[in-house]
Amino acid sequence: MTLSRWGAAVAAAAALLAGGCDTGGEANNAAEANGAAAAVEPGSGTVAVAIEADGDLGRIEEIARNAGLLELLGGTGPYTLFAPDDSAFAALGEGRAEELKGEALRPQAVALLRAHIVPGVVSRRDLEAALARGGTEPVEMRTMAGGMLTFTREGDAILVAGANGARARLVEETLVSNGAVQRVDALLVPAQAPEG
């Protein structure tokens, strides 16, 4: 089962994030596809404000700022960011996480962030409903980088896997005015070394 939504985005957002994003004509909000309303009313902040305010998302906030995407995440949206927490970046080693904030790895930082963003608002309740409807089938969503995220259940936990098999657990949800932040405990793609 595939759920995705291409929300109305500002021209800058479309130019920066839409490259490679193929909704395949499946432009449905996850809540609409599930026939369910959002479980919690969104807050008045934005995705950018939410990651700036969350003490466990300092690395992703710094990388988004240095990659030039923090302003975008404060814009119209809607976006859902599957945001790796600081411990996910710590697993890379301090030097590698710092390199992702620099100009030399800016293209890799942008690619990493795009691989963790899906268009539209995806709440935990939406994922739970889609997984329940699918029975034992996983739920897939296309990222802004064009890759797929695959969602499954393991007991009460919701797991998300990147196309390369990297897996993370959804840890915490923050619904905001322009989308959602789903905190996860691991990176969903590898942080690539610079080419050349």
Side-chain angles (χ1 to χ4, degrees), residues 4-6 13 16-18 21 47 51 60 64 69-70 72-73 77-84 109-120 122 141-149 151 178-180 182 188-189:
S4 64
R5 175 178 176 192
W6 180 250
L16 186 56
L17 294 176
C21 181
V47 171
I51 63 173
I60 195 90
L69 294 180
L70 196 61
L72 174 93
L73 294 173
Y79 311 106
T80 297
L81 171 63
F82 292 91
V110 169
L112 181 137
L113 287 167
R114 288 177 49 166
H116 286 81
I117 299 171
V118 298
V122 181
M141 293 181 196
R142 188 166 305 281
T143 69
M144 295 298 236
M148 295 300 282
L149 296 179
F151 298 84
N178 71 339
Q182 297 288 348
L188 300 173
V189 295

Side-chain angles (χ1 to χ4, degrees), residues 29 48 60 70 125 128 166 184:
N29 179 306
I60 195 90
L70 196 61
R125 181 176 175 189
E128 288 172 344
V184 295

Side-chain angles (χ1 to χ4, degrees), residues 89-194:
F89 286 99
L92 293 176
E94 186 62 31
R96 186 64 178 157
E98 284 299 313
E99 288 175 357
L100 282 168
K101 296 188 320 183
E103 188 62 32
L105 291 185
R106 186 174 186 204
Q108 289 84 354
V110 169
L112 181 137
L113 287 167
R114 288 177 49 166
H116 286 81
I117 299 171
V118 298
V121 179
V122 181
S123 72
R124 182 177 185 96
R125 181 176 175 189
D126 295 333
L127 288 169
E128 288 172 344
L131 287 165
R133 272 201 346 254
T136 59
E137 294 296 315
V139 173
E140 293 181 324
M141 293 181 196
R142 188 166 305 281
T143 69
M144 295 298 236
M148 295 300 282
L149 296 179
T150 302
F151 298 84
T152 56
R153 275 204 160 297
E154 187 175 277
D156 289 339
I158 295 177
L159 302 179
V160 56
N164 66 346
R167 291 173 30 142
R169 291 182 189 276
L170 271 65
V171 177
E172 185 177 316
E173 171 179 88
T174 304
L175 298 177
V176 292
S177 64
N178 71 339
V181 177
Q182 297 288 348
R183 186 166 8 133
V184 295
D185 63 1
L187 289 169
L188 300 173
V189 295
Q192 298 293 325

